[in-house]
Amino acid sequence: MFLFPFTYGFDRKYYFKIKELLDKTKINYKILTDFLSDYKVVKLRKASDIMINTPISDQLSASMIEHLYAENIEINRNWLPYDIFDQNNIFLSKVSKVSEVGEKLVYVIKNYNKLKKKCKHNKELIYSLCSWENSIKKWKNMYTEVLNNAN
C-alpha cells in the first residue's frame, strides 16, 4: 500500500490534484490528512519500507532523518544538500530527476532485501550524527573553539 501523508502544511488544491491522479491508477493507496501524534508518527516510520523524498528545494528534514533511523530505504534527489549522509556512510538511494522515481522504485522493490541490508547501519549512524548526546558535544567544541580563537 502507498501512503501519502498530508498531515503537515495541508494544501486543499494540491490534495485534490494528487487524489485525482491516484484515482486514475490501480494502486492501493491511502492519503493521511489528520494530525499525527508523536506515537503515530513513530508507528508510520516503523511500518514504512520505502520513503520517497523529491522536493524542489529542501533543508535537512526531520521526517527524512526519522525514516533513515527506522532503517527504511529512501529515494532522494541527488542534488539536494545531503552530502552529510555520504560523508557519514549513511545509505540512501538517489535519482537525478523526479521522472526517474518510478524506475528507481521498481529497482528498489526488485532489490529490496539487498538494499535493506545496506540500511542496517543507518540507525547507529544517524544516532551518532543527530542525537542530543552527540550534538551537544559538537556544539560545545565548536563554541569553545570560536571563543578561544576570539581572544
Side-chain angles (χ1 to χ4, degrees), residues 13 20-22 31 34 36 39-40 46 57 66 75 78 98 105 121 123 125:
K13 188 175 179 181
E20 181 181 330
L21 290 169
L22 288 169
I31 299 176
D34 293 335
L36 298 177
Y39 179 76
K40 287 183 178 178
K46 289 300 290 175
S57 63
E66 291 163 359
I75 299 172
N78 64 2
V98 173
L105 182 57
H121 298 289
K123 179 183 266 184
L125 296 169

CSV table of all heavy atoms in Angstrom, one decimal, residues 13 20-22 31 34 36 39-40 46 57 66 75 78 98 105 121 123 125:
chain,number,residue,atom,x,y,z
A,13,LYS,N,-6.0,22.3,-2.7
A,13,LYS,CA,-5.8,22.3,-4.1
A,13,LYS,C,-4.9,21.2,-4.5
A,13,LYS,O,-5.2,20.4,-5.4
A,13,LYS,CB,-5.4,23.6,-4.7
A,13,LYS,CG,-5.4,23.7,-6.2
A,13,LYS,CD,-5.1,25.2,-6.6
A,13,LYS,CE,-5.1,25.3,-8.1
A,13,LYS,NZ,-4.7,26.6,-8.5
A,20,GLU,N,-7.0,13.0,-7.4
A,20,GLU,CA,-7.5,12.8,-8.8
A,20,GLU,C,-6.5,11.9,-9.6
A,20,GLU,O,-7.0,11.0,-10.3
A,20,GLU,CB,-7.7,14.1,-9.5
A,20,GLU,CG,-8.3,14.0,-10.9
A,20,GLU,CD,-8.5,15.4,-11.5
A,20,GLU,OE1,-8.7,16.4,-10.8
A,20,GLU,OE2,-8.3,15.4,-12.8
A,21,LEU,N,-5.3,12.2,-9.5
A,21,LEU,CA,-4.3,11.4,-10.2
A,21,LEU,C,-4.2,10.0,-9.7
A,21,LEU,O,-4.1,9.0,-10.5
A,21,LEU,CB,-2.9,12.1,-10.1
A,21,LEU,CG,-2.7,13.3,-10.9
A,21,LEU,CD1,-1.4,14.0,-10.5
A,21,LEU,CD2,-2.7,13.1,-12.4
A,22,LEU,N,-4.2,9.8,-8.4
A,22,LEU,CA,-4.2,8.5,-7.8
A,22,LEU,C,-5.4,7.7,-8.1
A,22,LEU,O,-5.3,6.5,-8.4
A,22,LEU,CB,-4.1,8.6,-6.3
A,22,LEU,CG,-2.7,9.1,-5.8
A,22,LEU,CD1,-2.8,9.4,-4.3
A,22,LEU,CD2,-1.6,8.0,-6.0
A,31,ILE,N,-4.5,8.3,1.7
A,31,ILE,CA,-3.9,9.6,2.0
A,31,ILE,C,-4.3,10.0,3.4
A,31,ILE,O,-5.4,9.9,3.8
A,31,ILE,CB,-4.6,10.7,1.0
A,31,ILE,CG1,-4.3,10.4,-0.4
A,31,ILE,CG2,-4.1,12.1,1.4
A,31,ILE,CD1,-4.9,11.3,-1.4
A,34,ASP,N,-5.2,13.6,8.8
A,34,ASP,CA,-5.3,14.0,10.2
A,34,ASP,C,-4.0,14.2,10.8
A,34,ASP,O,-3.0,13.6,10.5
A,34,ASP,CB,-6.1,13.0,11.0
A,34,ASP,CG,-7.5,12.9,10.6
A,34,ASP,OD1,-8.1,13.9,10.1
A,34,ASP,OD2,-8.1,11.8,10.8
A,36,LEU,N,-1.0,13.8,13.2
A,36,LEU,CA,-0.5,12.5,13.8
A,36,LEU,C,0.3,12.9,15.1
A,36,LEU,O,1.1,13.7,15.1
A,36,LEU,CB,0.5,11.8,12.8
A,36,LEU,CG,0.0,11.4,11.5
A,36,LEU,CD1,1.1,10.8,10.6
A,36,LEU,CD2,-1.2,10.4,11.7
A,39,TYR,N,3.4,9.4,18.7
A,39,TYR,CA,3.3,8.0,18.7
A,39,TYR,C,2.9,7.5,17.4
A,39,TYR,O,3.5,6.5,16.9
A,39,TYR,CB,2.3,7.5,19.8
A,39,TYR,CG,2.2,6.1,19.9
A,39,TYR,CD1,3.1,5.2,20.5
A,39,TYR,CD2,1.0,5.4,19.3
A,39,TYR,CE1,3.0,3.9,20.5
A,39,TYR,CE2,0.9,4.1,19.4
A,39,TYR,CZ,1.8,3.3,20.0
A,39,TYR,OH,1.7,1.9,20.0
A,40,LYS,N,2.0,8.1,16.7
A,40,LYS,CA,1.5,7.7,15.4
A,40,LYS,C,2.6,7.9,14.3
A,40,LYS,O,2.7,7.1,13.4
A,40,LYS,CB,0.2,8.3,15.0
A,40,LYS,CG,-1.0,7.8,15.8
A,40,LYS,CD,-2.3,8.4,15.4
A,40,LYS,CE,-3.4,7.8,16.1
A,40,LYS,NZ,-4.7,8.4,15.8
A,46,LYS,N,8.1,3.3,11.4
A,46,LYS,CA,8.4,1.8,11.6
A,46,LYS,C,7.7,0.9,10.6
A,46,LYS,O,8.2,-0.1,10.2
A,46,LYS,CB,8.2,1.4,13.0
A,46,LYS,CG,9.1,1.9,14.0
A,46,LYS,CD,10.6,1.6,13.8
A,46,LYS,CE,10.9,0.1,14.0
A,46,LYS,NZ,12.2,-0.3,13.6
A,57,SER,N,13.0,22.1,-3.4
A,57,SER,CA,14.0,22.7,-2.5
A,57,SER,C,13.8,22.1,-1.1
A,57,SER,O,12.7,21.7,-0.8
A,57,SER,CB,13.9,24.2,-2.5
A,57,SER,OG,12.7,24.6,-1.9
A,66,GLU,N,14.2,10.6,10.4
A,66,GLU,CA,13.4,9.6,11.1
A,66,GLU,C,13.3,8.3,10.3
A,66,GLU,O,13.4,7.2,10.8
A,66,GLU,CB,12.1,10.1,11.5
A,66,GLU,CG,12.1,11.2,12.6
A,66,GLU,CD,10.9,12.0,12.7
A,66,GLU,OE1,9.9,11.8,12.0
A,66,GLU,OE2,10.9,12.9,13.6
A,75,ILE,N,14.5,7.1,-1.2
A,75,ILE,CA,14.8,7.6,-2.5
A,75,ILE,C,14.8,9.1,-2.5
A,75,ILE,O,13.8,9.7,-2.1
A,75,ILE,CB,13.8,7.1,-3.6
A,75,ILE,CG1,13.8,5.6,-3.6
A,75,ILE,CG2,14.1,7.7,-5.0
A,75,ILE,CD1,12.7,5.0,-4.5
A,78,ASN,N,19.5,13.5,-6.0
A,78,ASN,CA,20.9,13.6,-5.7
A,78,ASN,C,21.5,15.0,-5.6
A,78,ASN,O,22.6,15.2,-5.2
A,78,ASN,CB,21.7,12.7,-6.8
A,78,ASN,CG,21.6,13.3,-8.2
A,78,ASN,OD1,20.9,14.3,-8.4
A,78,ASN,ND2,22.2,12.6,-9.1
A,98,VAL,N,12.8,13.9,-11.0
A,98,VAL,CA,11.6,13.3,-10.4
A,98,VAL,C,11.1,12.2,-11.4
A,98,VAL,O,10.5,11.2,-11.0
A,98,VAL,CB,10.5,14.3,-10.2
A,98,VAL,CG1,9.2,13.7,-9.8
A,98,VAL,CG2,11.0,15.3,-9.1
A,105,LEU,N,11.9,3.2,-8.1
A,105,LEU,CA,11.1,2.5,-7.2
A,105,LEU,C,11.0,1.0,-7.6
A,105,LEU,O,11.1,0.1,-6.8
A,105,LEU,CB,9.7,3.1,-7.1
A,105,LEU,CG,8.7,2.5,-6.2
A,105,LEU,CD1,9.2,2.4,-4.7
A,105,LEU,CD2,7.4,3.2,-6.2
A,121,HIS,N,22.9,-0.2,9.1
A,121,HIS,CA,23.7,0.6,9.9
A,121,HIS,C,23.3,2.0,10.0
A,121,HIS,O,23.8,2.8,10.8
A,121,HIS,CB,25.2,0.5,9.5
A,121,HIS,CG,25.8,-0.8,9.5
A,121,HIS,ND1,26.1,-1.5,10.7
A,121,HIS,CD2,26.0,-1.7,8.6
A,121,HIS,CE1,26.5,-2.7,10.5
A,121,HIS,NE2,26.5,-2.9,9.2
A,123,LYS,N,20.7,3.4,11.4
A,123,LYS,CA,20.2,3.7,12.8
A,123,LYS,C,21.3,4.3,13.6
A,123,LYS,O,21.3,5.4,14.2
A,123,LYS,CB,19.5,2.6,13.5
A,123,LYS,CG,19.0,2.9,14.9
A,123,LYS,CD,18.4,1.7,15.5
A,123,LYS,CE,16.9,1.8,15.3
A,123,LYS,NZ,16.1,0.8,16.0
A,125,LEU,N,24.3,5.2,12.7
A,125,LEU,CA,25.0,6.3,12.1
A,125,LEU,C,24.2,7.6,12.3
A,125,LEU,O,24.8,8.7,12.5
A,125,LEU,CB,25.2,6.0,10.6
A,125,LEU,CG,26.2,4.9,10.3
A,125,LEU,CD1,26.2,4.5,8.8
A,125,LEU,CD2,27.6,5.2,10.7
